[in-house]
Amino acid sequence: MTPTILKLGGSVITEKDRAETLDGAALDAVADAIADAFERDDADELVLVHGGGSFGHHHASEAGVTTTEGTDDATDAVAIHGAMKTLNQFVLSRLHDRGVPALPIHPLSAGARDADGALDLPLNQAATMLGEGFVPVLHGDVIATAGEGVTVLSGDEIVTAAAESLSAERVGLCSTVPGVLDTEDEVIPEITAYEDAADALGGSDAGEDVTGGMAAKVRELLALGAPASVFGADDIGAFLAGEGPGTTIRGGD
Ligand code: IP8
C-alpha cells in the first residue's frame, strides 16, 4: 500500500475570520477536484485530513487550549471536538454528493499523547478502509494527553503520523497560498532544509490559529520520509495527477 495523503487547510474550506463559517464555494471546488481525480483513477488510496479553520480554532482559543496547554473541562473539549465533527460532516457530504466514498476517522476516539507530548495514533482502521476502496477523512481535533487533560491535535501532526504509519508515497498540503513564499512573495520551488526558507517564514496571517503557521508546517514536512508539496486549491488536480505543484519539501531521510 502506497497511499497519498492530502491535507485541506482549514482556511481553504472555511471563512477563517468568522466563527463556524464554511466557505461553501471553496469546499465545492475542492470536492470537484477530488471527485475528478477519482474518476481519472488518480485518487486511488487517498487519505484526506482537514484542519480546523473557524470551527476548531475559534473554540480552542476561547477555551485557551493549544497543542501544549490542555484543559480538563470536558464541556470545552466537546465544544472543540463537536465543531470539528460538524466541519468533517460538511466535507464528507460534499464528497458523497460527488460519489467519493469518504469515511470519517475522529482522532479523539483513536489516539492519545504521552506526558512528553508524543502522539500515538494507530491507523489500522484507515489502512483497512483504503484496502476496501474508501477514502478515510481525518481532522484536527482534541486528544487525551497525559498530565494535560486534552490538548489540540493539529491536522499537520496527523499528516506526519499518517505518512509514517501508512508509509505514504506522497503528501500534499493544500493551503490558501500557492506554495511557501519567499520574501518577495514568489513561490520557493524546493526546500530541503529549514534554512532554505527561514527568512521568509512567519506566523499564520489570518484569524485565530493555535497551532502555528507555515514555519511549523515546513518543519514537520522536512521530518517526513516522503516528499511533500505545499500548493493552493487550484492545484489539487495537478497534485493528485502526480505533478509537484507549488513548493516541494524533501527532508532527506
Ligand atoms: O487547523 C487544528 O487543526 P489545524 C484543529 O490543522 C483544532 O491546525 C481543534 C483547533
Side-chain angles (χ1 to χ4, degrees), residues 43-117:
D44 232 21
E45 297 191 348
L46 176 66
V47 177
L48 294 175
V49 179
H50 65 80
S54 57
F55 286 73
H57 288 285
H58 167 75
H59 289 281
S61 62
E62 263 194 353
V65 183
T66 68
T67 54
T68 52
E69 302 290 317
T71 182
D72 52 15
D73 184 319
T75 309
D76 283 347
V78 168
I80 302 166
H81 177 65
M84 289 308 302
K85 282 205 301 188
T86 301
L87 178 56
N88 184 249
Q89 189 54 53
F90 281 126
V91 174
L92 292 172
S93 59
R94 305 278 166 134
L95 291 169
H96 292 168
D97 288 348
R98 292 160 177 80
V100 178
L103 287 181
I105 298 175
H106 305 301
L108 173 61
S109 307
R113 283 189 208 280
D114 68 16
D116 298 324

Side-chain angles (χ1 to χ4, degrees), residues 149-183:
V150 304
T151 56
V152 168
L153 173 67
S154 76
D156 294 329
E157 290 176 272
I158 298 171
V159 167
T160 307
E164 274 163 24
S165 68
L166 300 172
S167 304
E169 191 170 37
R170 305 170 68 228
V171 169
L173 250 65
C174 174
S175 167
T176 48
V177 284
V180 181
L181 304 180
D182 65 17
T183 48

Side-chain angles (χ1 to χ4, degrees), residues 191-208:
I191 297 174
T192 55
Y194 188 77
E195 296 70 51
D196 294 351
D199 288 351
L201 293 174
S204 177
D205 59 358
E208 303 162 297

